[in-house]
Structures are given as structure tokens and as C-alpha cells.
Amino acid sequence: MGDQDLRSTPLEAVHEALGATFTDFAGWRMPVRYDSDLAEHRAVRESAGIFDLSHMGEVHLRGPQAGEALDHALAGKLSTMSVGRAKYSLLLAEDGGILDDLITYRLAEDHFLVIPNAAGVAEDLAALTERAAGFAVEIEDASATTALIAVQGPESERILLDALTGADSGVDGIAAEDLVAMRYYRAAGGTYRGAPLLIARTGYTGEDGFELYVRSDLAVALWDQVTAAAGDRLTPCGLASRDTLRLEAGMPLYGNELGRDLLPAQAGLGRTVALATKGDFVGRAAVEDADLTGRPVLVGLAAEGRRAARAGAEVRDAEGTAVGVVTSGVLSPTLGHPIAMAYVSPSLADPGTDLVVDVRGRDLPVRVVPLPFLRRD
């Protein structure tokens, strides 16, 4: 696919002016880095970074049975979630396989916002529409008219207070005290220059941070306003640093740690499936009946030195027998040693187990460690 065939976010001109290097990500022309992957990663860990995530989807469900429709469609229980809350959940196939992982916000008693991954927007929308049939709910795909900007890092709250809570900020309905009081996986709605604005304390970096949903035609103004208020406290960040940040935080990436042929329990996500708190939903019977014996499970791996395993690398036991495969790996910028996530035989999943990974034809000794690799205080 050539650049001319890729979709562009509303912030593409901003990225070009900043000298970004672009990549094809799920059919979108996205900034992979602006300067240095390492510098961008460290900025988020030490101060703050700003990301364009406008390739993600936004699907609204409105109606008196919106919650019940989502209970049927997703693995989690959404109907009892209070207004202003967010929940991580899974979209399962009938056979229990993971079609996507997504976040759902409850914006009002009869209004939910679902955020699919970029590569899954069309499929998720089709599945949600099919599964909502018979419920009193209307579904709107607002992906093309919504931009998503993330501000992540320990300085993110202070930056947004400076940028968005002044008298001339253009923001109404979200006060400084709302931001300060907002807990993790909470959200508040207001307006920005008269258009809807949603600010959520969510993210994909393992740091404190916020995600800002705004109308596409206001994305550049909002980006510029936040970056102007932040000054040198805020660094533009691309997809490369986003990936190393989420890997250190032990957060799965669909297509790497999650996929159609994997059950939630294999990925350590059994707790997201509401078997005990709600009735039937798509995939329930398959999850309940699944025999997990011998199915590989997701683990963290750590090594010494500077050589990092990459996705697809074979994992072997001490006798040289293949026992799994690496799904993501990197030389951790924060920890200073190689880390990886991998699926391995359940008998070898206990922390402290010594294994070997094939790194470009050379054996790399690794040890199973708990996830996440890095946890913020």
C-alpha cells in the first residue's frame, strides 16, 4: 500500500511540520517517531509526551437498552457501570477467541462510547451492530469525525490544568477540580470551543495520563494549545515509543499478545470475562467449556545484556525443545535490559523458570518474571 492509499489523521500537517517519520499502521499514515525513540520514551517516564491516536475508532451506543446490548456483545458487564466510568473489555467470537480488546465509557445512563483498535473498527462495528439487534439502542460510528490526543506522563495533570482550565481555554464543563479529582479509568465530558470534549484518565503507557476526544476539525487547535501551555515539559511521541512504553507496562497489543485463536484466560484476562455477574453473552459457552490443559499462556521474560528478542522468536527449554514463541520484545529503555512477552507451555510459566530464546540464531538465556515489568507508584 502506497502513502497515497493510506488514511491520514487530522493532525498529519502538524506531524510533518515537526519532522516526523511516518509508517503504515493498520492502513493509516502514522508518525512512528519525531526524533529519537529513546528520548520520546524517557520523556513520558520523566515528564510527559503527547500522542496522536486518531486512528482509533469511536462507536457510540445510545438508547434505553444500550447497557444490556453491550452486556450481550462484550465479555464484561457494562450495564452496571456508573456514569463517568471506563472499563476494559473483550469482544469475543462464538468460540471464545478474542476479536478485539477495547475500552468502553459510560457517558450517560443511556449513552456509551466504545473504542475499538484501529485495525478492528469495521469488524467491531459490524459485530456490535449484529449483536445489538433486538435491543432498544442506536449505534453511531463517529470514528471519521473524532480525533484522539493522549497526554501521558507524570506532568500530564499539571500540563492539562495549565492548558485547559483557564478562563480563555475554550473549555466549558470541565473544571480544574474535576481533573485533579479524576481517578484512573474515569472520564468527564464538557465542550471545547462549543464542540463535545471528553477527557479520560486512561492510557497505554503505564504512566498517569489523559486521553482527549474532540471533534476532528478542532484537533490541531487543541494540540497546539496543549503544547504551547506545556512548553519543554511535553514531547511529541510516535508509535515506536508507545510500543516500548506499553511493553514495559505489560499491556497486551492486539495482533501480538491477543488474537482470534487465543482465549482470554491464556492472556491472563480471565478476570475480564463476567461469568459470575451476568447472563448469556457471545462467547460465554465456549469460554465456560474450554479445556485449557496444555494451552500456552502469556508470560514475561527478562534477560541480561543488550540483545533483545523480537516477535516470532522461538522459546526453548533447557533441553532445546521448542516450548513457545515471543510476541513482543525490546531492550527496555527504563530498565536497561531485554524484556519480552511470550506464550509458553503452562508447565513452564512459573516466575523464576529459566528458558532460552533464539535471537537471530544465537541463544539468549531468559527467565520468566511477573508482569508488568514496570509499575508506576
Side-chain angles (χ1 to χ4, degrees):
M1 181 182 288
D3 276 5
Q4 67 274 14
D5 301 315
L6 298 178
R7 299 179 66 182
S8 299
T9 81
L11 291 158
E12 183 173 54
V14 172
H15 306 317
E16 289 179 339
L18 290 169
T21 299
F22 290 87
T23 189
D24 174 356
F25 185 84
W28 290 79
R29 186 171 182 254
M30 296 295 295
V32 66
R33 68 182 56 82
Y34 298 86
D35 182 13
S36 158
D37 298 351
L38 185 59
E40 292 169 23
H41 180 109
R42 285 179 172 164
V44 175
R45 290 281 180 249
E46 298 171 3
S47 183
I50 185 168
F51 300 80
D52 177 11
L53 306 181
S54 301
H55 58 314
M56 302 289 281
E58 290 85 19
V59 178
H60 293 267
L61 289 88
R62 298 179 177 89
Q65 291 187 307
E68 289 82 353
L70 285 171
D71 281 352
H72 173 65
L74 303 181
K77 186 167 186 178
L78 289 307
S79 61
T80 56
M81 184 168 59
S82 56
V83 174
R85 293 289 295 269
K87 180 173 282 191
Y88 176 84
S89 190
L90 300 173
L91 180 72
L92 301 181
E94 287 280 1
D95 65 3
I98 302 171
L99 297 177
D100 203 1
D101 65 328
L102 33 76
I103 292 180
T104 300
Y105 299 96
R106 189 168 202 162
L107 305 185
E109 286 298 326
D110 60 351
H111 183 190
F112 294 78
L113 172 64
V114 177
I115 311 299
N117 285 301
V121 174
E123 293 80 3
D124 290 9
L125 178 64
L128 289 170
T129 301
E130 178 182 353
R131 297 175 187 190
F135 292 91
V137 59
E138 295 182 356
I139 298 178
E140 176 198 2
D141 179 14
S143 305
T145 57
T146 307
L148 172 54
I149 297 170
V151 179
Q152 300 282 301
E155 289 293 315
S156 57
E157 178 185 288
R158 186 71 256 168
I159 288 169
L160 291 191
L161 287 172
D162 292 345
L164 302 181
T165 61
D168 57 351
S169 67
V171 175
D172 289 308
I174 304 175
E177 53 267 29
D178 298 323
L179 283 180
V180 173
M182 190 182 297
R183 296 168 60 192
Y184 191 48
Y185 264 64
R186 305 293 198 278
T191 62
Y192 177 65
R193 299 190 179 185
L197 170 69
L198 180 69
I199 301 181
R201 201 158 204 157
T202 48
Y204 196 50
T205 63
E207 294 293 336
D208 187 22
F210 297 83
E211 295 181 317
L212 316 176
Y213 296 84
V214 69
R215 204 172 64 195
S216 294
D217 62 322
L218 293 172
V220 172
L222 182 60
W223 176 289
D224 288 347
Q225 186 167 319
V226 171
T227 55
D232 59 10
R233 293 175 293 169
L234 187 65
T235 299
C237 297
L239 293 180
S241 61
R242 188 169 186 251
D243 193 51
T244 55
L245 289 159
R246 69 92 192 169
L247 180 50
E248 287 183 345
M251 295 178 169
L253 175 66
Y254 195 88
N256 289 46
E257 288 73 41
L258 306 176
R260 177 67 180 76
D261 58 343
L262 293 164
L263 296 172
Q266 291 179 258
L269 296 175
R271 67 188 183 283
T272 68
V273 183
L275 294 175
T277 58
K278 69 175 185 176
D280 194 26
F281 57 90
V282 177
R284 179 184 182 115
V287 170
E288 283 186 306
D289 297 341
D291 181 5
L292 296 171
T293 305
R295 283 181 178 260
V297 294
L298 188 66
V299 300
L301 301 176
E304 297 180 354
R306 310 292 291 177
R307 292 188 301 133
R310 302 299 181 189
E314 185 178 80
V315 182
R316 299 192 290 266
D317 63 16
E319 285 71 46
T321 303
V323 296
V325 63
V326 171
T327 55
S328 298
V330 70
L331 175 61
S332 167
T334 306
L335 301 173
H337 62 76
I339 59 173
M341 288 196 281
Y343 277 94
V344 302
S345 300
S347 61
L348 299 171
D350 290 338
T353 302
D354 289 320
L355 299 169
V356 173
V357 173
D358 183 341
V359 180
R360 295 175 290 280
R362 297 174 61 191
D363 286 351
L364 175 68
V366 296
R367 178 164 292 176
V368 177
V369 297
L371 292 171
F373 302 100
L374 186 71
R375 190 188 302 273
R376 67 180 171 89
D377 295 333

